[in-house]
Amino acid sequence: MADETLALTSAPAQSSDRRKPVRVPVWDRFVRLFHWSLAATIVVATATGFFAAAPRIDIHIWVGAAALGLVVARVIWGFLGPTHARFSDFATDRRTIFAHLSQIAAGKAERHRGHNPLGGAMVLALLGLIVAVAVTGVVVLGGVFKSGPLAFATSFTTGWNVRVIHELFSVALVVLIALHVAGVVFESWRTHENLARAMVDGRKEARPKDHASGMKGARPVTAIAIAGSLLAALGSLAWVSSARLPLGVPTAALDPTYAEECGDCHNAYHPTLLPRASWSALTAGLDDHFGENASLGPETTQRIASYLMANAAEAFDTKPANFFRQIDPLKSFTITATPFWTQTHRNIPTAVFDRTAVGVRGNCEACHTDAAQGRFYPGAIDIPSEATP
Amino acid sequence: MKIIYPILTAAALSVATMAAADPARQAIVDFYANAAGVTDFSAEGGKSLFETTQVGGQPDTNVCTACHGTNHTDTGRTRAGKTIEPMAVSANPARFTDLEKVEKWFRRNCDTVLGRQCTAHEKGNVIAYFSSL
């Protein structure tokens, strides 16, 4: 019905200039703003996720959260917005999609002023996949980095395994975006209309043979129900999460005796950076400690040894604790010579370690501002720049 | 005019005792003097022990100045990158005021640098050297 009205009102303009049909509003302001904002967040999230250095993790997290927020708003708008923004306008069944495909192949497919069945399916797939990437991202953030709303309930192992799914979904999203762009290019060529431009100014040509699209009534009850239940779910998650500590994260400050005695000569490495067997051997051999006599009185040695035993890598669930737990205790105690350390620091140039504020590889605190807490969150890395002489 | 003599005497005494003014440090010096059976320590002997390259300890650290540096009013640096406070008492008044700490570091560092323990005489000489700077 709406299309009829539009076609009628546009009739005089068409007759006055046949080569320039009237362009009517199709994509409302919200849909356009949503589309390009989502595109921007996904570009930044993908770029930071695949290529950025570890300290940039917070950018990745925030654009990912923004993308999820945009998708949620779009879902609600899908029940409230004008006709072509509505799910009921473009969400169809498999039969319609295949019928449209075979019509394209036969060269006689209809032109849809909103999304065609294939385009509609793509919109739903993209929205669903972005939600999946975001949710798996929150699980990884909670389990591996012990941060975000699920940190209180997610083990490292869960986070580390879900990381693979997060990455697979992300690759699938890139593939889907490529198909989406290819679809836009193809449909623009097929219907002789720049569809990307339509997503900028919101208008598309009104043509007499367009697929008949009925006026879609808004469903405010559904929209409110979705918004309300999401709000309730997120609110209670935030409430539960804020009252609980991240799972398996050390909370106590370094033992003062340990920090003083060991910190006199070197960085007082957090106890979670070595397994019990390594600490045990180290504290038993302080008179030959990496070539130096670092002996302590028996009481002090005993006190430090029992502190290290109680707080070693086996006792916590942080990422460093999980990896340093696995090192061969008989092979090497040198934390900076372990496979995990060399792997995670492979992109740091040697010159960085020579900087005045760093000095040696074992000076964790120089860059990891949360080293003393045993956290080692990537976003807490702050590599000191070299002071100009 | 007679009043000048007591003042001069007081001034002379205070200069003489300034380096070892801290009673805690004096107690440590006395402890080593008693243990070594001597009445006086040699700053020259301390300087020689501290700044001569030694044989018998770790090749990487065969001289005290490897970590402590040669300017004793300035800081040194351990092999693992930690700052060592100045050795000179004038720059670091807390130096040699805690017998337990003094013993701990002589025990560790003499072993590392010399491959043996230092004698009470040697320890007293080193303290005399850094008290004179």
Side-chain angles (χ1 to χ4, degrees):
Chain A
M1 290 299 255
D3 300 321
E4 288 301 312
T5 333
L6 285 168
L8 282 173
T9 49
S10 61
Q14 258 180 336
S15 61
S16 70
D17 185 355
R18 287 202 165 272
R19 284 173 305 174
K20 260 197 166 180
V22 159
R23 298 178 73 241
V24 295
V26 173
W27 308 124
D28 66 85
R29 198 170 292 174
F30 171 84
V31 164
R32 284 177 280 149
L33 192 66
F34 158 78
H35 176 272
W36 295 113
S37 308
L38 186 68
T41 57
I42 297 299
V43 165
V44 177
T46 309
T48 50
F50 284 112
F51 307 112
R56 307 248 186 235
I57 190 172
D58 285 336
I59 299 174
H60 182 72
I61 291 163
W62 286 114
V63 292
L68 182 62
L70 284 167
V71 170
V72 167
R74 179 66 185 89
V75 168
I76 293 165
W77 194 242
F79 295 99
L80 283 180
T83 296
H84 295 300
R86 209 75 54 66
F87 289 124
S88 52
D89 184 60
F90 58 80
T92 57
D93 53 19
R94 201 185 303 172
R95 228 186 50 198
T96 319
I97 294 168
F98 281 112
H100 181 73
L101 267 174
S102 52
Q103 282 163 14
I104 290 175
K108 51 180 184 181
E110 279 186 297
R111 172 185 182 269
H112 290 70
R113 208 172 290 166
H115 295 297
N116 66 42
L118 213 49
M122 178 59 85
V123 171
L124 296 179
L126 283 169
L127 295 182
L129 199 51
I130 289 167
V131 170
V133 172
V135 169
T136 51
V138 174
V139 176
V140 176
L141 181 66
V144 176
F145 302 110
K146 301 296 174 191
S147 183
L150 295 181
F152 75 96
T154 318
S155 73
F156 175 82
T157 310
T158 304
W160 195 248
N161 291 336
V162 171
R163 197 184 68 130
V164 179
I165 303 170
H166 181 67
E167 285 169 3
L168 284 176
F169 281 167
S170 303
V171 172
L173 183 60
V174 172
V175 172
L176 224 53
I177 290 168
L179 286 173
H180 164 58
V181 172
V184 169
V185 170
F186 173 78
E187 188 70 359
S188 295
W189 166 79
R190 189 180 78 88
T191 61
H192 311 288
E193 185 173 32
N194 186 341
L195 294 186
R197 180 190 167 202
M199 194 47 83
V200 175
D201 66 11
R203 290 168 179 271
K204 288 175 84 174
E205 289 172 11
R207 296 178 189 171
K209 283 183 181 171
D210 282 345
H211 173 82
S213 171
M215 186 85 157
K216 301 294 193 295
R219 291 167 61 192
V221 177
T222 314
I224 289 167
I226 291 172
S229 46
L230 271 175
L231 214 64
L234 289 177
S236 44
L237 180 63
W239 186 68
V240 169
S241 170
S242 66
R244 282 165 173 76
L245 290 167
L247 193 69
V249 166
T251 48
L254 285 182
D255 177 78
T257 309
Y258 170 74
E260 194 197 327
E261 292 295 350
C262 302
D264 268 344
C265 295
H266 54 73
N267 170 65
Y269 300 104
H270 197 272
T272 56
L273 302 188
L274 281 179
R276 290 196 178 107
S278 299
W279 286 129
S280 169
L282 276 172
T283 46
L286 282 176
D287 51 347
D288 183 10
H289 189 67
F290 299 93
E292 283 188 34
N293 184 332
S295 58
L296 291 159
E299 269 173 45
T300 317
T301 308
Q302 185 48 48
R303 181 175 173 169
I304 289 174
S306 51
Y307 165 69
L308 292 170
M309 285 299 119
N311 294 278
E314 288 93 337
F316 292 99
D317 195 41
T318 58
K319 184 180 174 187
N322 271 275
F323 279 97
F324 284 116
R325 197 186 295 159
Q326 299 167 23
I327 72 165
D328 182 352
L330 302 173
K331 215 171 171 184
S332 163
F333 307 134
T334 312
I335 291 166
T336 53
T338 57
F340 174 64
W341 194 95
T342 42
Q343 170 70 13
T344 46
H345 295 77
R346 68 190 182 282
N347 291 329
I348 312 292
T350 312
V352 169
F353 298 108
D354 293 336
R355 287 178 188 168
T356 324
V358 185
V360 289
R361 277 162 202 270
N363 190 2
C364 311
E365 291 168 331
C367 304
H368 294 276
T369 56
D370 57 355
Q373 288 81 47
R375 293 290 300 257
F376 293 90
Y377 178 67
I381 298 170
D382 184 14
I383 298 174
S385 51
E386 185 61 292
T388 41
Chain B
M1 277 298 176
K2 272 182 186 169
I3 199 159
I4 198 89
Y5 292 109
I7 292 172
L8 277 177
T9 314
L13 273 173
S14 66
V15 166
T17 53
M18 208 143 79
D22 194 303
R25 187 177 309 111
Q26 189 56 53
I28 293 170
V29 171
D30 293 344
F31 171 79
Y32 286 133
N34 188 42
V38 295
T39 50
D40 212 6
F41 288 115
S42 151
E44 270 309 305
K47 179 182 166 70
S48 159
L49 180 76
F50 201 84
E51 294 174 2
T52 309
T53 303
Q54 308 285 345
V55 189
Q58 289 294 326
D60 288 354
T61 51
N62 54 5
V63 56
C64 304
T65 52
C67 295
H68 289 285
T70 46
N71 179 2
H72 302 308
T73 54
D74 200 357
T75 56
R77 195 168 208 195
T78 70
R79 284 195 302 146
K82 279 275 175 156
T83 299
I84 306 171
E85 293 307 312
M87 294 307 290
V89 167
S90 58
N92 180 10
R95 214 26 112 192
F96 311 115
T97 55
D98 179 341
L99 181 61
E100 214 175 306
K101 271 195 183 176
V102 171
E103 273 293 281
K104 179 178 91 176
W105 289 108
F106 273 128
R107 184 185 72 232
R108 292 169 155 195
N109 295 349
C110 290
D111 185 30
T112 301
V113 176
L114 300 148
R116 63 166 174 85
Q117 289 303 305
C118 292
T119 64
H121 198 169
E122 285 170 326
K123 293 173 189 174
N125 285 347
V126 168
I127 297 175
Y129 174 46
F130 290 120
S131 301
S132 74
L133 293 178

